């Protein structure tokens, strides 16, 4: 049998349909993080988490600001899963929080080649925000969300365009944030981890 | 300027052309595999360490980059200095220069710790860094090369060829000085801390570029004999001698000045009588300078002119690469003196001791892949653009070896060239 | 200005007066700067104050007379702090700090000292870095921004102290406070995370008291050698500056004029 153009086209369309159907059924399964709510609205985070992290990274590395709210360490802290032995699983491992989505959209993560993908062991951990961070979070969000959501100079045109279309609900975000922070700080205190602990060696 | 030469694409369908293409492709594949391995496993699979941080890939890359700027010589001699013998190969010379540069840059990039971040290197600059300047020098060289070729190939622009040639000449001198300065201003390293490296690199580029151009011409003459005339061979041999003498001069002065400064005595002892002594004396001095000069100057009839060119060029190329190896590796394997007047008794990091460096096969693969990428690029470009002088005997019909193809056609080629020149 | 000076207690030391005047100057400058920026954007001033400034310049003083031969407490402390594990090959392992034992060629006198990033004021590594990943923070700490480091190793070629390490192998067991990964260059950070943690303390307190010591200094102290002093080189009254003055501490390769942030007594 000879292949003719209609055959080929039918085949292609069939493949395309198969693909869509498959995609509909197997969206990424994203493990749930700790607490009720992330540092900002979920939709906002989905679109903008990379900008928040990039912005925070430059602030931290170059200007030494380590008490602003959007740190990668906090991402890992809340979203890391544990295995049957209560041992944390790398957040970039297959099916885990970061990789489930990133694999789905085929975007490479370039964080965990250097950064810790699990929280530090509990006795060696510096948990939570500095007390001063309460106000810092508020100020930070007000500042950056008000600036039409363009956090950092590297935020992409695309995400700006998206955000301009659906501006995040500021009040809602703030409320959620406040709840979250209170919980988080409480958790830190209950774990009896000092905020700025003198590091113990050996 | 009214060139009367006619140019054409490389029109060889001989098995030898395709053989060359396949060999190049295979070696490029090998190089790609090596690069991927090094990127995946990290530099631990290379011989490099925290003492010798720049290894064999850098020797290859710098050799290619330096050859690139030297290969432009053909075009410069033709359009700036008006040497008629080089007019037929001016276009080839520019194309070869660009291909060599691309090959060298690729090796350099693939040896980075994070080659995936090339975009960072292209978008974030620290203008105090000579390295950042070099990125502009390299891309500028490619742009100027394209412009230069265009001026030469478009009849309406022929009057601009001289200007383009002058710009290219200026740019390549700056480029080679810049490459030399990468090494020249490292105050912490006694072997490198010298402004003499910049002019030395220019001499090195003239030697390596001329030698590379000569060898490529010999290969091309197999398919298109018109590219090589006896006069051109004689001229290439002659300039190679002068360039070699210049290189020897700077090399000697560099070491003499180092010997004069007593704080550099240890490193000089290392370079001239230590681990790399054989490479320096046998590789650079004997093979790289003396042998080519003797071969070219000797007028023994049993060696054909073209054989002399091939052997001397190959020697000069290898010898210069050996010199680069001694400069790059030798300067790193010797200790950095932190405490003058004191001896290091013990150190967990080998302060005060000499480091040995053994390049791994991955590094060889990467470097060789870069060389053959440059050559393959050149083979392809010559095929699609009319850069070679039109053969007077129909295109690419000679199946014989270069030597036999050339000897009988010498007189005709020569006269053809001189006729063309007298017309200009 | 004169009247304010006469208002200060007459029995105050010259240093105290100097500090007071400096403080006045700072407040004045801040007011001027603040009034200039305020109408434009009130938040900008908040940003201005945040982050490290050139007010401090952090540095170390190594007392080689106290540094014990064969002791590597500082190295162990540093490795533990930054999660640096040896693979058994010292030539490719990261060595942020290393111990060197020296013998004087003339007198035969033995000495011992740690060598690490000297946090130069005019750092060659910062000059040569093509992407600006190797940089000096406002407070004088020389760092590698691993987000923009492409791993070209030019800084390692340029460093006169061999203080930098290239990561040759993939790493998986990093600590949160010390991100480090394959293909980038790294070196002593002067325990910058500790300095910054102290930075959120109220500014009025003296820097000496509140700033956490780097891991090497803490380890050295715990081993009862006390050979490493950390402090603010910009503060003429600080312990480190006083000690440098007293001991006539030197720079390694002072001939290069790099104005290092790490000084050595009895070099």
């Amino acid at each position: 049998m000879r292949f003719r153009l209609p055959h080929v086209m039918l085949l292609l369309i069939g493949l395309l349909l198969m693909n869509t159907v498959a995609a509909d059924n197997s969206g990424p399964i994203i493990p749930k993080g700790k607490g009720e709510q992330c540092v900002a609205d979920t939709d906002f985070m989905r679109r903008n988490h990379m900008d928040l992290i990039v912005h925070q990274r430059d602030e931290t590395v170059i200007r030494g600001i380590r008490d602003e709210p959007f740190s990668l360490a906090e991402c890992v802290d809340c979203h890391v899963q544990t295995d049957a032995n209560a041992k944390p699983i790398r957040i970039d491992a297959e099916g885990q929080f970061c990789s489930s989505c990133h694999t789905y959209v085929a975007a490479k993560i370039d964080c965990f080649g250097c950064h810790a993908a699990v929280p530090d062991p509990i006795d060696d951990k510096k948990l939570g925000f500095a007390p001063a961070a309460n106000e810092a979070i508020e100020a930070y969000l007000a500042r950056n969300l008000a600036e039409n959501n363009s956090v950092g100079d590297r935020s992409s045109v695309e995400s700006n365009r998206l955000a301009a279309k659906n501006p995040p609900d500021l009040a809602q975000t703030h409320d959620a944030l406040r709840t979250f922070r209170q919980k988080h700080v409480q958790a830190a205190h209950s774990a009896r981890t000092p905020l700025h602990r003198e590091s113990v060696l050996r | 300027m009214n060139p009367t030469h006619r140019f054409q694409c490389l029109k060889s369908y001989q098995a030898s052309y395709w053989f060359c293409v396949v060999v190049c492709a295979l070696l490029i594949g090998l190089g790609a595999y090596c690069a991927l391995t090094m990127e995946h496993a990290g530099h631990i699979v290379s011989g490099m360490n925290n003492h010798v941080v720049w290894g064999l890939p850098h020797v290859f890359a710098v050799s290619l980059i330096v050859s690139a700027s030297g290969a432009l010589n053909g075009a410069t001699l033709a359009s700036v200095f008006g040497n008629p013998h080089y007019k037929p190969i001016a276009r080839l010379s520019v194309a070869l220069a660009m291909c060599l540069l691309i090959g060298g840059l690729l090796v350099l990039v693939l040896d980075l710790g994070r080659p995936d971040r090339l975009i960072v290197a292209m978008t974030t600059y620290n203008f105090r860094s000579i390295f950042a300047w070099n990125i502009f020098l390299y891309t500028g060289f490619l742009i100027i090369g394209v412009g230069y070729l265009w001026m030469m190939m478009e009849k309406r622009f022929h009057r601009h060829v001289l200007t383009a040639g002058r710009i290219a000449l200026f740019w390549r001198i700056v480029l080679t000085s810049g490459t030399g300065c990468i090494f020249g201003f490292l105050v912490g390293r006694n072997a490198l801390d010298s402004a003499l490296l910049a002019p030395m690199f220019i001499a090195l580029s003239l030697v390596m570029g001329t030698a590379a151009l000569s060898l490529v011409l010999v290969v091309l003459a197999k398919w298109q004999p018109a590219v090589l005339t006896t006069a051109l061979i004689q001229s290439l041999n002659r300039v190679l001698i002068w360039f070699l003498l210049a290189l020897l001069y700077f090399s000697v002065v560099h070491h003499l000045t180092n010997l004069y400064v007593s704080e550099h005595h240890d490193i000089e002892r290392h370079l001239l009588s230590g681990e790399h002594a054989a490479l320096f004396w046998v590789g650079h001095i004997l093979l790289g300078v003396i042998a080519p000069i003797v071969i070219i100057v000797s007028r023994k009839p049993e060696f054909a002119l073209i054989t002399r060119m091939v052997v001397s060029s190959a020697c000069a190329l290898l010898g210069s690469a050996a010199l680069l190896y001694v400069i790059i590796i030798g300067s790193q394997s010797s200790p950095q003196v932190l405490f003058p007047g004191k001896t290091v008794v013990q150190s967990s990091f080998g302060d005060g001791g000499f480091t040995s460096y053994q390049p791994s096969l991955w590094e060889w693969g990467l470097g060789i892949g870069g060389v053959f990428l440059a050559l393959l690029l050149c083979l392809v470009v010559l095929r699609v653009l009319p850069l070679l002088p039109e053969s007077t005997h129909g295109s690419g019909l000679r199946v014989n070896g270069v030597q036999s193809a050339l000897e009988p056609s010498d007189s005709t080629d020569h006269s053809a060239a001189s006729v063309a020149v007298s017309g200009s | 200005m004169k009247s304010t000076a006469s208002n200060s207690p007459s029995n105050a030391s010259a240093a105290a007066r100097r500090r007071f005047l400096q403080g006045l100057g700072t407040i004045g400058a801040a007011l001027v700067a603040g009034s200039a920026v305020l109408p434009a954007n009130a938040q900008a001033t908040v940003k201005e104050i945040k982050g490290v400034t050139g007010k401090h310049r952090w540095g170390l003083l190594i007392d080689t007379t106290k540094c014990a031969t064969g002791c590597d407490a500082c190295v162990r402390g540093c490795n533990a702090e930054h999660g640096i594990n040896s693979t058994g090959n010292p030539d490719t392992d990261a060595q942020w700090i290393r111990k060197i034992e020296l013998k004087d060629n003339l007198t035969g006198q033995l000495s011992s000292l740690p060598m690490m990033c000297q946090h130069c004021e005019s750092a060659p590594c910062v000059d040569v870095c093509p992407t600006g990943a190797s940089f000096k923070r406002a407070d004088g700490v020389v760092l590698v921004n691993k987000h923009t480091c492409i791993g070209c190793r030019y800084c390692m070629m340029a460093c006169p102290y061999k203080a930098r390490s290239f990561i040759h192998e993939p790493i998986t067991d990093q600590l949160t406070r010390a991100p480090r990964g394959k293909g980038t260059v790294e070196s002593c950070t002067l325990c910058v995370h500790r300095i910054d943690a102290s930075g959120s303390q109220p500014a009025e307190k003296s820097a000496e008291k509140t700033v956490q010591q780097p891991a090497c200094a803490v380890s050295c102290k715990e081993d009862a050698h006390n050979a490493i002093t950390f402090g603010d080189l910009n503060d003429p009254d600080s312990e480190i500056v006083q000690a440098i003055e007293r001991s006539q501490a030197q720079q390694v390769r002072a001939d290069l004029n790099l104005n290092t942030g790490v000084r050595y007594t009895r070099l």
Side-chain angles (χ1 to χ4, degrees):
Chain A
M1 180 192 140
R2 280 175 62 212
F3 273 107
R4 296 223 185 103
L5 191 62
H7 292 127
V8 177
M9 285 189 70
L10 271 176
L11 197 70
L12 284 177
I13 291 168
L15 281 173
L16 209 67
L17 280 174
M18 263 172 66
N19 200 23
T20 0
V21 171
D24 273 346
N25 288 344
S26 63
I29 300 155
I30 307 164
K32 206 176 165 331
K34 280 178 207 150
E36 299 281 303
Q37 169 80 41
C38 194
V39 288
D41 194 52
T42 304
D43 281 347
F44 179 84
M45 288 309 288
R46 277 191 187 152
R47 277 199 299 271
N48 298 304
H49 66 278
M50 67 300 270
D51 292 333
L52 297 175
I53 295 171
V54 163
H55 180 70
Q56 175 75 54
R57 113 192 167 182
D58 291 344
E59 296 270 275
T60 303
V61 175
I62 296 163
R63 301 179 58 219
I65 299 170
R66 281 166 209 269
D67 54 2
E68 295 232 355
F70 303 121
S71 80
L72 188 66
E74 305 292 339
C75 301
V76 175
D77 260 357
C78 282
H79 289 286
V80 79
Q81 306 282 307
T82 48
D83 64 9
N85 306 322
K87 227 184 110 201
I89 311 167
R90 285 181 70 90
I91 198 166
D92 63 338
E94 199 190 332
Q96 294 302 300
F97 181 75
C98 293
S99 55
S100 57
C101 246
H102 272 262
T103 311
Y104 184 69
V105 298
K108 196 187 157 204
I109 317 172
D110 197 14
C111 299
F112 302 105
C114 289
H115 285 277
V118 291
D120 283 347
I122 197 74
D123 62 317
D124 207 20
K125 188 170 175 178
K126 210 188 278 177
L127 226 189
F129 305 127
N134 288 10
E135 289 75 45
I137 296 170
E138 233 100 291
Y140 190 94
L141 272 179
R143 209 153 67 223
N144 292 302
L145 295 183
E147 287 166 16
N148 194 11
N149 156 51
S150 62
V151 178
D153 35 358
R154 288 175 196 227
S155 62
S156 64
V157 179
E158 177 61 13
S159 68
N160 275 342
R161 198 180 55 76
L162 273 172
K165 247 191 218 165
N166 335 301
D169 185 351
L170 261 180
Q172 194 189 332
T173 313
H174 275 201
D175 283 346
L177 190 68
R178 201 165 297 121
T179 334
F180 162 78
R181 193 190 50 242
Q182 277 160 4
K183 276 187 188 165
H184 198 96
V185 172
Q186 271 164 16
H189 282 300
S190 62
R192 269 176 290 147
T193 8
L195 295 172
H196 294 295
R197 186 177 55 84
E198 280 289 334
S199 177
V200 181
L201 292 153
R202 278 166 298 160
Chain B
M1 285 275 167
N2 180 20
T4 52
H5 300 283
R6 297 164 67 85
F7 289 87
Q8 64 178 33
C9 303
L10 181 60
K11 280 190 184 145
S12 167
Y13 291 95
Q14 290 172 31
S16 55
Y17 174 82
W18 296 112
F19 177 74
C20 285
V21 169
V22 169
V23 167
C24 287
L26 282 177
L27 289 170
I28 292 167
L30 184 81
Y33 177 66
C34 292
L36 209 66
T37 309
M38 240 161 84
E39 212 260 306
H40 186 73
H43 277 63
I44 192 76
V45 298
S46 76
M48 290 176 254
N49 52 44
N50 284 332
H51 305 282
V52 180
V53 298
W54 283 354
L56 192 68
H58 294 80
V59 177
F60 270 99
V62 173
S63 296
L64 281 166
I65 290 168
V66 158
S67 309
S69 89
L72 203 70
N73 253 355
T76 310
L77 283 170
S79 42
V80 179
F81 297 105
N83 187 326
H85 305 308
Y86 289 89
K87 292 215 160 129
I89 59 151
R91 294 181 180 185
L92 165 70
S93 144
V94 179
L96 178 65
M98 290 162 69
C99 294
L100 288 172
L101 185 69
I102 291 171
L105 290 182
L106 201 73
V107 174
L108 208 57
V109 165
L110 288 176
D111 180 68
L112 292 178
R114 297 294 306 256
D116 52 321
R117 285 191 187 153
L118 182 63
I119 190 72
V120 175
M122 307 295 276
T123 51
T124 328
Y125 292 105
N126 165 26
F127 286 105
R128 299 193 64 175
S129 165
I130 195 95
F131 221 64
W133 282 105
N134 271 16
I135 295 172
F136 285 102
L137 291 177
Y138 297 148
T139 44
F141 186 85
L142 292 177
I143 292 165
I144 289 173
V146 169
Y148 195 7
L149 262 186
W150 191 18
M151 297 301 128
M152 284 196 281
M153 291 171 72
E154 175 68 61
K155 245 195 191 119
R156 287 174 296 156
F157 297 149
H158 275 169
R159 60 205 158 88
H160 299 308
V161 166
L162 180 62
T163 319
R166 281 178 178 157
I167 294 173
L169 173 64
F170 167 76
W171 198 269
R172 52 147 300 199
I173 289 175
V174 177
L175 182 143
T176 321
S177 310
T179 311
C181 287
I182 288 182
F183 299 95
F185 293 126
L186 297 174
V187 289
R189 306 217 176 233
N190 281 344
L192 295 176
D193 181 16
S194 161
L196 265 175
L197 281 179
M200 187 162 149
F201 266 63
I202 294 181
L204 201 64
S205 93
L206 293 171
V207 169
M208 294 188 91
T210 308
L213 183 63
S214 304
L215 290 176
V216 168
L217 280 173
V218 170
V219 175
L220 290 174
K222 214 174 162 61
W223 302 313
Q224 214 134 323
V227 294
L228 257 191
T229 61
T230 310
L232 180 59
I233 299 178
Q234 281 168 340
S235 172
L236 280 169
N237 281 348
R238 222 173 15 248
V239 293
L240 186 64
I241 290 185
W242 287 112
F243 294 156
L244 283 167
L245 289 174
L247 177 62
L248 185 65
Y249 169 76
F250 282 116
S251 183
V252 167
V253 171
H254 180 221
H255 285 291
L256 284 181
T257 48
N258 265 356
L259 283 171
Y260 183 74
V261 182
S262 57
E263 82 174 291
H264 293 177
H265 282 178
D266 281 341
I267 171 75
E268 278 304 307
R269 200 172 301 124
H270 174 58
L271 291 180
L272 301 182
S273 65
E275 195 191 343
H276 304 291
L279 213 51
F280 180 82
W281 292 111
V282 179
H284 165 50
I285 299 289
L286 198 65
L287 185 77
V289 178
I290 295 175
I293 293 179
V294 169
I295 289 168
I296 293 171
V297 171
S298 77
R299 300 203 182 280
K300 282 192 177 164
E302 56 261 37
F303 295 121
L305 194 56
I306 192 155
T307 317
R308 291 217 293 270
M309 179 165 88
V310 171
V311 176
S312 60
S313 294
C315 285
L317 213 50
L318 289 175
S320 305
L323 175 63
L324 276 174
Y325 190 94
V326 174
I327 291 175
I328 295 175
I329 312 294
S331 62
Q332 298 174 78
S333 56
S334 51
Q336 273 176 284
V337 180
L338 295 184
F339 308 99
K342 301 206 181 206
T343 310
V344 176
V345 182
Q346 205 191 350
S347 159
S348 60
F349 191 45
D351 293 87
F354 291 93
T355 323
S356 77
Y357 162 74
Q358 207 64 49
S360 74
L361 283 175
W362 307 112
E363 293 166 82
W364 280 107
L366 174 61
I368 290 169
V371 173
F372 281 89
L373 179 98
L375 293 179
L376 182 68
L377 267 180
C378 199
L379 284 177
V380 172
V381 167
L382 291 177
R383 188 112 213 161
V384 294
L385 290 177
L387 304 177
L388 294 177
E390 208 164 71
S391 177
T392 43
H393 304 284
S395 51
L397 287 177
R398 286 165 186 277
V399 200
N400 309 344
V402 178
Q403 220 161 306
S404 53
L406 241 129
E407 296 307 330
S409 65
D410 264 351
S411 53
T412 44
D413 276 344
H414 195 175
S415 58
S418 41
V419 166
V421 168
S422 61
S424 67
Chain C
M1 268 308 186
K2 223 171 191 169
S3 63
T4 50
S6 60
N7 283 347
S8 68
S10 55
N11 60 347
S13 71
R17 191 161 58 242
R18 199 159 59 233
R19 266 208 305 278
F20 175 64
L21 287 171
Q22 266 173 0
L24 275 185
T26 314
I27 292 166
L31 279 177
V32 171
S35 59
V37 183
L38 208 59
N41 184 357
Q43 273 141 10
T45 39
V46 179
K47 264 194 165 172
E48 219 75 58
I49 297 167
K50 288 215 83 171
V52 288
T53 62
K55 192 177 159 222
H56 309 288
R57 184 188 174 202
W58 304 113
L60 294 173
L61 172 66
I62 316 286
D63 191 340
T64 61
T65 55
K66 290 181 186 166
C67 182
T69 306
C71 167
D72 65 345
C74 51
V75 181
R76 279 181 283 119
C78 177
N79 288 352
E81 179 74 7
H82 302 103
I84 300 172
N85 299 315
S86 170
T87 58
N89 182 359
D91 288 336
T92 50
D93 277 344
Q95 301 213 26
W96 291 16
I97 179 169
R98 62 186 192 267
K99 276 296 299 282
I100 303 180
E101 319 285 343
L102 295 168
K103 192 175 90 178
D104 194 288
N105 289 348
L106 190 67
T107 61
Q109 175 79 43
L110 291 170
S111 55
S112 174
L113 52 84
M115 176 51 65
M116 73 291 268
C117 173
Q118 303 287 297
H119 298 281
C120 313
E121 189 189 16
S122 25
C125 57
V126 174
D127 282 347
V128 300
C129 178
T131 64
S134 186
F135 72 105
K136 187 164 60 90
R137 257 173 39 147
D139 57 357
V141 182
V142 175
L143 293 174
V144 179
N145 184 349
K146 283 164 203 166
H147 302 111
T148 46
C149 173
I150 55 173
C152 73
R153 285 105 76 204
Y154 197 17
C155 55
M156 300 176 72
M157 287 291 282
C159 177
Y161 305 102
K162 265 190 164 176
R164 290 210 156 168
S165 306
F166 180 69
I167 312 265
H168 289 77
E169 292 167 84
I171 306 177
T172 50
D173 46 1
Q174 297 94 334
L175 297 173
T176 302
R177 59 177 172 256
R180 37 198 303 272
K182 184 193 82 187
T184 53
V185 175
E186 59 182 29
S187 59
C188 161
T189 64
L190 216 55
C191 284
V192 75
H193 53 285
R194 292 176 172 229
I195 296 175
D196 291 344
S198 329
S200 58
Q201 307 281 338
E204 300 88 59
K205 284 194 198 165
S206 158
E208 288 296 303
K209 297 244 161 53
T210 55
V211 171
Q212 294 182 26
Q213 300 279 306
C216 55
V218 173
S219 297
C220 189
K221 193 170 285 174
E222 282 175 1
D223 253 37
H225 299 300
N226 248 331
I228 305 179
T229 313
F230 169 82
D232 184 1
L233 298 174
N234 276 357
D235 177 2
D237 299 329
S238 65
E239 188 194 337
I240 185 169
V241 173
Q242 299 284 332
I244 287 173
E245 254 175 47
R246 223 180 306 119
S247 64
Q248 293 292 304
Q250 288 167 285
Q251 311 177 42
V252 179
R253 297 259 0 220
D255 57 319
L256 296 177
N257 259 336
L258 301 174
N259 188 6
T260 57
V262 180
R263 305 292 172 108
Y264 292 80
T265 60
R266 290 275 202 96
L267 195 60

